[in-house]
Amino acid sequence: LEKFGRYVMNDIPMRLIRLSDMSLVSRDDVREHFRGSVIKEALYNPLYHVRYAILSHRWLLHGEPTYEEMKAGTATGPGYEKLKRFCERARECRLEFAWSDTCCIDKSSNSEVDQSIRSMFRWYKNSAICIVHLAQSETIEDIMDDEWTTRGWTLQELLAPDKIKFFNEDWMPMTDSRNDKSYSKTDIMEFLERATGIPHDNLFRFSPGPHKVDTRMAWAARRETTRAEDLAYSLMGIFNVSMQIAYGEGGESAFCRLIEAIVQCGDPSVLNWRGDPANHRTSRAIPRSPQSFLGRRELKLDGVHLEMTMTNLGLRVPLVMFPL
């Protein structure tokens, strides 16, 4: 029970939609729901016991259901209709809970927003299935022009889950497979690779961490976010680093802090960029955005590690000098 309790209170979303009545429930409610069916054995893994669906989609300009509306039972409109279709698909997967970023986060609470953003990659990773709604696609070929492939947050929503199912604009499944993340180069995997620039192997199984920074930054270079800071915040899970959320600091400032966190991990590929540096307080070695990693040199840096440190004088990197 201890392993189960730790998992529920730390590794799933703070709030879920109970599919039986479309109400919002807390982690405490989820813990009570599953407690009686916990298997007391050494190999027990709560990941396969506490199961929920998670939504990936392109937000509407207006009309997405809010936490307050869901709590009051007053949610209506096109966003709520989309949520209901998502929940229908989740029930078809024989799941009892689901999560959506529109209504499961109390956005009036800065601390909850901060914790949610820092935990987002893990929540998508731990989901039983990620249900993707492509609102601009009818066929697999349409993925190439769907805005979902160009948004900042959907990058981690594509990479993190082990199981993904794509639905088109009419909420019809886009393939006959139970899991569209396939080891084989299926049609949908090939179109995803072409649309995102991410190699098939990384689409199928992605390991987060502060390595191959230049390559991974290039994946995000042509993506956009509504709020400038989110371009940096949406990459924290991909590089497995954490930093405080501070909306209002500006996109370049947020990206500088992301690079500072990555630099401490020692992968030199973080320095493989080109163009003008960011307006950083101490260093001109900090890039301005993921776009700085486009057109970079192809360097083989696997296994190379540098003890890099940000100081009040700039970036400190030890060098070995040999006599001529």
Side-chain angles (χ1 to χ4, degrees):
L1 282 178
E2 183 179 353
K3 182 192 293 186
F4 161 76
R6 284 198 309 270
Y7 178 79
V8 172
M9 301 310 290
N10 292 282
D11 294 319
I12 69 168
M14 290 183 281
R15 196 174 288 108
L16 290 171
I17 302 167
R18 184 167 52 204
L19 296 176
S20 60
D21 58 5
M22 293 289 288
S23 64
L24 297 179
V25 295
S26 68
R27 284 170 170 164
D28 288 330
D29 297 320
V30 175
R31 182 174 56 184
E32 288 305 309
H33 178 86
F34 286 104
R35 183 193 296 272
S37 55
V38 173
I39 301 174
K40 298 179 181 179
E41 60 180 38
L43 297 179
Y44 168 76
N45 187 342
L47 173 67
Y48 304 112
H49 180 212
V50 183
R51 303 173 72 243
Y52 59 91
I54 201 162
L55 176 64
S56 178
H57 64 121
R58 174 75 170 95
W59 277 51
L60 302 175
L61 293 177
H62 306 285
E64 294 287 4
T66 66
Y67 163 73
E68 290 80 9
E69 290 170 342
M70 288 292 290
K71 191 174 179 182
T74 59
T76 58
Y80 186 60
E81 291 302 313
K82 175 173 60 174
L83 182 70
K84 289 196 295 184
R85 297 296 296 273
F86 158 62
C87 289
E88 288 173 7
R89 291 304 187 182
R91 281 191 287 269
E92 290 173 2
C93 297
R94 304 181 69 179
L95 298 172
E96 298 175 279
F97 296 95
W99 186 89
S100 169
D101 55 356
T102 56
C103 61
C104 292
I105 302 173
D106 180 2
K107 297 176 181 65
S108 67
S109 168
N110 289 336
S111 62
E112 184 167 325
V113 170
D114 184 287
Q115 183 179 342
S116 297
I117 290 177
R118 296 197 205 201
S119 306
M120 200 79 71
F121 188 96
R122 186 167 71 255
W123 292 351
Y124 274 86
K125 177 68 176 176
N126 291 340
S127 65
I129 186 171
C130 176
I131 292 175
V132 180
H133 180 230
L134 298 180
Q136 297 174 323
S137 296
E138 183 178 355
T139 66
I140 291 176
E141 290 81 3
D142 296 335
I143 291 175
M144 296 296 298
D145 299 314
D146 198 293
E147 285 187 359
W148 182 86
T149 64
T150 67
R151 304 305 298 175
W153 287 107
T154 58
L155 178 58
Q156 69 172 3
E157 294 167 11
L158 171 64
L159 295 174
D162 289 332
K163 186 175 183 180
I164 281 183
K165 188 63 190 166
F166 286 88
F167 292 87
N168 70 7
E169 58 187 0
D170 298 317
W171 283 96
M172 298 300 294
M174 301 188 77
T175 74
D176 295 328
S177 302
R178 297 180 63 183
N179 184 4
D180 289 330
K181 262 198 176 180
S182 172
Y183 176 76
S184 303
K185 290 198 172 184
T186 58
D187 288 346
I188 197 165
M189 290 293 281
E190 289 188 355
F191 274 103
L192 285 170
E193 183 174 357
R194 288 167 56 190
T196 63
I198 303 172
H200 173 268
D201 289 348
N202 292 116
L203 287 173
F204 175 64
R205 282 291 180 266
F206 176 77
S207 178
H211 47 266
K212 298 183 179 178
V213 180
D214 51 353
T215 298
R216 295 177 175 195
M217 283 293 183
W219 298 344
R222 293 187 174 88
R223 291 178 176 259
E224 299 177 349
T225 56
T226 302
R227 303 185 74 164
E229 297 89 348
D230 280 342
L231 197 57
Y233 302 159
S234 64
L235 295 174
M236 286 193 293
I238 288 173
F239 293 106
N240 197 24
V241 297
S242 184
M243 61 187 194
Q244 185 175 4
I245 306 305
Y247 283 116
E249 66 175 317
E252 188 169 301
S253 175
F255 191 71
C256 285
R257 291 198 297 120
L258 175 68
I259 293 295
E260 288 176 2
I262 295 172
V263 159
Q264 295 177 26
C265 302
D267 191 313
S269 64
V270 70
L271 303 177
N272 186 24
W273 57 274
R274 60 185 301 173
D276 295 330
N279 185 25
H280 190 268
R281 62 188 183 280
T282 63
S283 176
R284 292 180 60 81
I286 306 298
R288 301 182 66 179
S289 74
Q291 291 185 348
S292 301
F293 292 87
L294 292 176
R296 69 197 184 282
R297 293 171 297 169
E298 294 298 328
L299 302 177
K300 294 184 178 180
L301 298 171
D302 292 348
V304 179
H305 186 273
L306 292 178
E307 294 294 336
M308 297 182 287
T309 308
M310 290 301 303
T311 73
N312 57 2
L313 297 177
L315 178 64
R316 184 173 67 191
V317 182
L319 299 176
V320 177
M321 301 183 69
F322 294 95
L324 296 176

